[in-house]
């Protein structure tokens, strides 16, 4: 608890919506002239060559470096090495020498600068279309000095959005389980970090094994289950206040919790005499309802973003498969039919896709399918992969991966197109990632 | 010292156990009767895992050694009841007859095939011995923890472990053990006792362990 009280103020500071996107004070190019764009749907499209010069002013090179890392990790950009730059005398308010940038085949260029204005860090930047010789974006952000990384993420999101047409996902956090110790004596702590692995902090001390943490859609609360000798309990942590509360559920085993999209309830599974069913409990009224009544295992429920449907894992048909039902538990139907065992279904933020874990041929796989179970596609495979979670824009899936027998779990990402499989910048052992929405 | 260095004993569970006990008591601090696993401070991830290193739980360490003995190898328990074991009189009569000094001696763990929770003949035999011990020790309560191998997803395995634990509990209750004396829990795949990431290790980790409470 002491660690918690030490860490939470910093966390609260980081999440408090103090960050201000001030104004779009700069000239916009008319859309007709903006030819430059990146397709996010074609997985094999050539990444766009983009140069991000070190920003001038406080944290300038760190901000530029974080932006470069973000864009490079997306797989959609080929981020140019600053050593290759021909022009060195960039100024945010002066048009660059486009010809110099064309020599290195750079298509997009970012120039920025930071300064301190009335005690706050203010960062402005422009995005240039090198071949169109025109400005695509000019923005300014301000926040506290210690929050400079969030500016880098906001800048990354703005560039990503301008060039791909989709909202970004860089200004977001990931809750996960930090693992340590041997396999037979595993310590599992609740941890939260920026999506790029920066600013990690621990929210539990490791006395209990923390499993499957998830954010609410508002990003202010985390729900997780904690395993102790005599049972497994569901907890909710409020990030703003630091309050940690056990959710009262009859019996000694409640697990697999997720918030409903409105953040008012949690759906989870609980054991009643060896029978595990899906339940929903209102955090406001305390009302508990049982949604499945089946002697088989029903677990890992997730409610669709529109609140109408719940997907869950069940072995009621003899093998482990993914099922869907209406929010009240009616209308149960099976979604997965092809070979293998399916579990941990999770809705995409738009509700159009479902990510899942599949066991097939002695391996584990991460895949996606349409909301009706069609168009199944495998994105990643290894000795163990499980627990997919969606980036807030639905483009990237993060999951836990053990590359081979006996390896430690680590966090990996893959594009929903199946390309750009890579390890998360968080390099220590970790599992059960839960991606937040983009921060306010 | 790694678990795999402990000699495997096929048919002599007791020998293995006493070897493990010696190891535990000679190399670690605690050797009390506590069956509770307390989570130890964070250890070096890269350090080889010694059985005796798991200072938290003598019982677990002991079981880890015991698990070198294949699932199906435990000796058959003595016949404890020829009649209806659920009969209260029989149960009382058996109290003084329990040939096992400790629950561990009766056999702590039963094992399961992949993704199954029904009881094998071997499991029934061990549970029958457990029932004899529990009935012979009226003041005691037990906790049955269901465990799974790592070849399943986390939440599904928690559910599967719950089924394994309750299958064991139901069998004990059928032998006349008061269900109020049995608590169940699932550890899913979170508390394996065998590090080996292969079929042998997984088989050991698919179990239900009966531990003494209080």
């Amino acid at each position: 608890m002491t660690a918690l009280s030490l860490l939470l103020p910093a966390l609260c500071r980081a999440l408090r919506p103090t960050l201000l996107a001030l104004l779009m004070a700069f000239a916009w190019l008319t859309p007709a002239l903006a030819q430059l764009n990146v397709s996010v749907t074609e997985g094999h499209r050539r990444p766009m060559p983009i140069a991000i010069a070190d920003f001038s002013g406080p944290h300038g090179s760190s901000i530029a470096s974080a932006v470069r890392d973000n864009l490079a990790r997306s797989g959609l950009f080929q981020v140019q090495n600053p050593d290759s730059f021909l022009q060195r005398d960039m100024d945010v308010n002066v048009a660059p020498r486009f010809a110099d940038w064309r020599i290195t085949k750079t298509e997009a260029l970012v120039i920025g600068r930071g300064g301190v204005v009335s005690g706050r860090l203010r960062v402005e930047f422009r995005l240039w279309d090198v071949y169109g010789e025109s400005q695509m974006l000019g923005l300014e952000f301000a926040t506290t000095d210690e929050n400079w990384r969030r500016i880098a993420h906001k800048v990354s999101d703005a560039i990503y959005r301008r060039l791909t047409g989709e909202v970004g996902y860089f200004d977001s956090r990931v809750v996960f389980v930090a693992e340590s110790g041997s396999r037979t004596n595993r310590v599992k702590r609740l941890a939260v970090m920026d999506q790029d692995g920066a600013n990690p902090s621990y929210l539990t001390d490791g006395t209990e094994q923390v499993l499957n943490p998830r954010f609410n859609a508002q990003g202010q609360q985390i729900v997780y289950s904690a395993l102790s000798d005599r049972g497994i309990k569901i907890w909710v942590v409020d990030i703003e206040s630091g309050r940690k509360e056990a959710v009262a559920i009859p019996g000694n085993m409640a697990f697999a919790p997720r918030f409903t999209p409105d953040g008012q309830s949690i759906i989870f599974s609980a054991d009643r005499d060896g029978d595990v069913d899906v339940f929903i409990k209102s955090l406001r009224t305390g009302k508990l309802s049982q949604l499945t009544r089946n002697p088989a295992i029903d677990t890992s429920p997730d409610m669709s973003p529109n609140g109408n449907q719940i997907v869950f894992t069940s072995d009621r048909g003899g093998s482990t498969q993914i099922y869907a039902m209406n929010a009240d538990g009616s209308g149960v139907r099976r979604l997965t039919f092809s070979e293998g065992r399916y579990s941990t279904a999770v809705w995409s933020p738009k509700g159009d896709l479902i990510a899942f874990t599949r066991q097939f041929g002695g391996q584990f796989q991460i895949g996606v399918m349409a909301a009706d179970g069609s168009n199944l596609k495998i994105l990643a495979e290894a000795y163990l992969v499980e627990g997919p979670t969606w980036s807030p824009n639905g483009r990237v899936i993060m999951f836990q991966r053990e590359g081979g027998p006996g390896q430690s779990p680590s966090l990996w990402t893959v594009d929903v197109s199946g390309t750009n499989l890579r390890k998360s910048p968080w390099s220590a052992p970790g599992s059960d990632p839960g991606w937040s929405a983009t921060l306010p | 010292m790694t678990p795999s260095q402990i000699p495997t004993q096929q048919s002599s569970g007791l020998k293995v156990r006493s070897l493990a006990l010696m190891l535990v008591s000679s190399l670690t601090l605690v050797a009390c009767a506590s069956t509770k696993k307390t989570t130890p401070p964070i250890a070096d991830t890269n350090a080889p895992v010694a059985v005796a290193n798991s200072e938290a739980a003598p019982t677990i360490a002991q079981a880890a050694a015991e698990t070198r003995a294949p699932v199906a190898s435990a000796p058959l328990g003595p016949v404890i009841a020829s009649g209806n074991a659920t009969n209260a009189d029989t149960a009382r009569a058996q109290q003084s007859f329990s040939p096992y000094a400790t629950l561990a001696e009766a056999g702590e763990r039963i094992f399961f095939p992949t993704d199954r929770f029904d009881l094998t003949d071997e499991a029934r035999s061990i549970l029958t011995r457990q029932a004899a011990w529990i009935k012979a020790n009226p003041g005691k309560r037990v906790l049955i923890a269901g465990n799974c191998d790592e070849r399943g997803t986390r939440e599904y395995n928690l559910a599967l472990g719950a089924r394994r634990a309750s299958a064991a509990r139901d069998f004990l209750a059928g032998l006349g053990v008061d269900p109020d004396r049995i608590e169940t829990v699932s550890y899913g795949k979170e508390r394996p006792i065998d590090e080996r990431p292969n079929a042998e290790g997984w088989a050991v980790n698919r179990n239900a362990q009966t531990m003494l409470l209080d």
Side-chain angles (χ1 to χ4, degrees):
Chain A
M1 221 40 208
T2 46
L4 187 64
S5 48
L6 282 177
L7 288 166
L8 274 165
L11 192 60
C12 296
R13 266 200 310 279
L15 289 185
R16 208 180 297 139
T18 51
L19 198 70
L20 224 56
L22 272 186
L23 48 147
M24 304 209 175
F26 300 86
W28 283 79
L29 190 71
T30 58
L33 292 175
Q35 308 267 318
L36 203 54
N37 65 73
V38 180
S39 165
V40 292
T41 48
E42 297 164 38
H44 298 290
R45 195 191 184 277
R46 177 185 62 94
M48 173 191 284
I50 187 170
I52 295 124
D54 279 352
F55 288 19
S56 60
H59 305 293
S61 59
S62 305
I63 289 173
S65 168
V67 173
R68 281 182 209 119
D69 290 347
N70 279 338
L71 296 181
R73 249 192 346 272
S74 77
L76 302 174
F77 300 91
Q78 176 203 315
V79 176
Q80 308 284 55
N81 183 344
D83 293 343
S84 72
F85 295 174
L86 298 177
Q87 182 183 1
R88 302 274 171 162
D89 55 341
M90 279 83 78
D91 183 317
V92 76
N93 287 326
V94 177
R97 291 195 299 275
F98 295 110
D100 282 5
W101 295 98
R102 283 195 291 267
I103 291 171
T104 53
K105 304 267 189 280
T106 299
E107 294 177 17
L109 170 64
V110 176
I111 299 172
R113 79 167 172 206
V116 178
V117 178
S118 12
R120 286 166 70 78
L121 176 64
R122 199 174 80 172
V123 174
E124 51 193 22
F125 78 97
R126 294 177 200 268
L127 169 66
W128 295 95
D129 176 349
V130 171
Y131 286 81
E133 300 204 352
S134 56
Q135 179 183 313
M136 298 186 77
L137 191 59
L139 278 177
E140 178 180 303
F141 296 100
T143 185
T144 55
D145 184 74
E146 71 210 20
N147 249 352
W148 63 267
R149 280 197 83 88
R150 288 208 53 204
I151 289 195
H153 295 319
K154 293 279 189 202
V155 169
S156 307
D157 280 337
I159 295 168
Y160 182 97
R161 178 166 202 171
R162 184 68 183 92
L163 292 176
T164 69
E166 298 222 5
V167 293
Y169 59 91
F170 302 114
D171 191 26
S172 60
R173 309 207 84 201
V174 173
V175 63
F176 66 104
V177 174
E179 299 204 8
S180 56
S182 71
R183 290 175 93 76
T184 50
N185 221 337
R186 211 66 166 151
V187 177
K188 302 180 132 216
R189 303 167 71 192
L190 180 62
V192 62
M193 63 180 180
D194 296 349
Q195 54 77 29
D196 63 350
N199 295 321
S201 56
Y202 298 97
L203 304 184
T204 63
D205 60 10
T207 29
E208 298 181 314
Q209 288 176 300
V210 168
L211 312 173
N212 301 108
R214 282 107 189 204
F215 275 105
N216 66 354
Q218 297 69 34
Q220 293 303 308
Q221 293 185 319
I222 295 165
V223 67
Y224 66 95
S225 47
L227 178 63
S228 58
D229 293 343
R230 303 279 285 266
I232 181 165
K233 260 185 161 37
I234 294 175
W235 292 83
V236 172
V237 186
D238 189 288
I239 291 177
E240 199 78 40
S241 70
R243 207 176 62 234
K244 194 174 147 204
E245 231 175 301
V247 181
I249 292 155
N252 70 330
M253 283 205 61
F255 56 99
R258 287 184 193 272
F259 285 99
T260 55
D262 63 7
Q264 301 294 313
S265 304
I266 50 166
I267 47 172
F268 59 96
S269 58
D271 169 53
R272 299 280 168 85
D273 291 333
D275 180 20
V276 173
D277 278 307
V278 173
F279 296 78
I280 184 166
K281 175 162 178 147
S282 166
L283 294 174
R284 277 195 315 173
T285 68
K287 182 171 177 255
L288 177 73
S289 314
Q290 184 169 352
L291 295 179
T292 65
R293 293 173 190 280
N294 192 292
I297 287 173
D298 295 324
T299 188
S300 300
D302 185 34
M303 188 178 275
S304 61
N306 64 12
N308 292 339
Q309 300 288 312
I310 293 168
V311 288
F312 63 101
T313 300
S314 178
D315 63 357
R316 59 181 65 196
S319 70
T320 315
Q321 301 290 337
I322 292 167
Y323 290 75
M325 61 185 173
N326 300 327
D328 63 358
S330 66
V332 176
R333 61 205 178 276
R334 183 172 160 179
L335 294 186
T336 49
F337 289 93
S338 55
E339 278 182 291
R341 300 168 58 193
Y342 294 80
S343 53
T344 61
V346 53
W347 293 93
S348 67
K350 291 173 192 153
D352 54 342
L353 297 172
I354 296 168
F356 57 82
T357 306
R358 181 192 191 207
Q359 288 172 255
F360 181 65
Q363 295 281 97
F364 281 63
Q365 301 170 329
I366 298 291
V368 290
M369 60 188 179
D372 63 359
S374 64
N375 293 322
L376 191 133
K377 181 174 174 180
I378 299 304
L379 308 180
E381 176 178 296
Y383 173 74
L384 181 87
V385 286
E386 74 167 290
T389 183
W390 294 85
S391 68
N393 70 348
R395 289 301 316 170
V396 181
I397 290 173
M398 188 181 288
F399 54 95
Q400 160 193 346
R401 179 178 187 272
E402 292 173 23
Q407 289 189 11
S408 274
S410 50
L411 305 181
W412 285 63
T413 54
V414 67
D415 194 271
V416 75
S417 65
T419 61
N420 198 34
L421 174 71
R422 59 175 74 210
K423 197 170 188 288
S424 154
W426 174 261
S427 54
S431 57
D432 296 1
W435 212 320
S436 80
T438 44
L439 301 176
Chain B
M1 185 71 206
T2 66
S4 55
Q5 288 171 286
I6 291 171
T8 301
Q9 288 286 341
Q10 277 275 330
S11 54
S12 171
L14 278 177
K15 245 187 223 164
V16 174
R17 229 175 351 254
S18 47
L19 172 60
L21 273 176
M22 277 168 50
L23 283 170
V24 168
S25 48
S26 62
L27 295 177
T28 69
L29 344 151
V30 224
C32 63
S34 166
T35 57
K36 290 180 188 173
K37 172 176 172 160
T38 55
T39 313
I42 294 172
D44 180 359
T45 328
N46 298 320
V49 182
V51 166
N53 186 25
S54 52
E55 43 188 65
T59 326
I60 298 282
Q62 170 188 340
E66 184 182 14
T67 54
R68 303 303 147 205
V71 174
S73 68
L76 256 193
V79 176
I80 54 163
S82 56
N84 180 5
T86 61
N87 181 293
D89 293 333
T90 317
R92 246 195 315 278
Q94 283 164 10
Q95 283 184 11
S96 52
F97 284 18
S98 174
Y100 310 107
T102 65
L103 183 58
E105 204 183 307
E108 281 191 314
R109 287 185 198 259
I110 59 171
F111 298 90
F112 297 85
T114 300
D115 207 20
R116 300 287 291 272
F117 59 93
D118 50 327
L119 301 174
T120 62
D121 289 347
E122 180 63 28
R124 287 165 196 267
S125 149
I126 292 172
L127 288 170
T128 302
R129 284 150 45 191
Q130 287 182 7
W133 185 89
I134 295 168
K135 287 192 286 186
N137 292 272
K140 306 291 187 185
R141 298 181 70 242
V142 296
L143 173 69
I144 305 178
N147 291 289
C148 304
D149 64 34
E150 63 185 23
R151 305 311 284 160
T153 50
R154 194 177 313 289
E155 293 172 338
Y156 178 81
N157 276 5
L158 283 169
L160 181 59
R163 280 185 160 186
R164 287 176 175 163
S166 51
R169 177 202 53 207
D170 292 349
F171 189 80
L172 291 178
L175 291 178
V177 177
D178 179 359
D180 288 343
R181 295 175 61 195
I182 309 171
E183 205 174 290
T184 59
V185 70
S186 170
Y187 297 153
K189 61 174 173 177
E190 311 310 322
R191 297 186 176 186
I193 53 171
D194 193 317
E195 292 231 322
R196 292 173 298 171
N198 56 29
E200 291 79 29
W202 302 333
V204 170
N205 290 331
R206 291 190 300 266
N207 65 70
Q209 182 187 15
T210 305
M211 298 173 276
L212 207 51
L213 280 175
D214 317 317

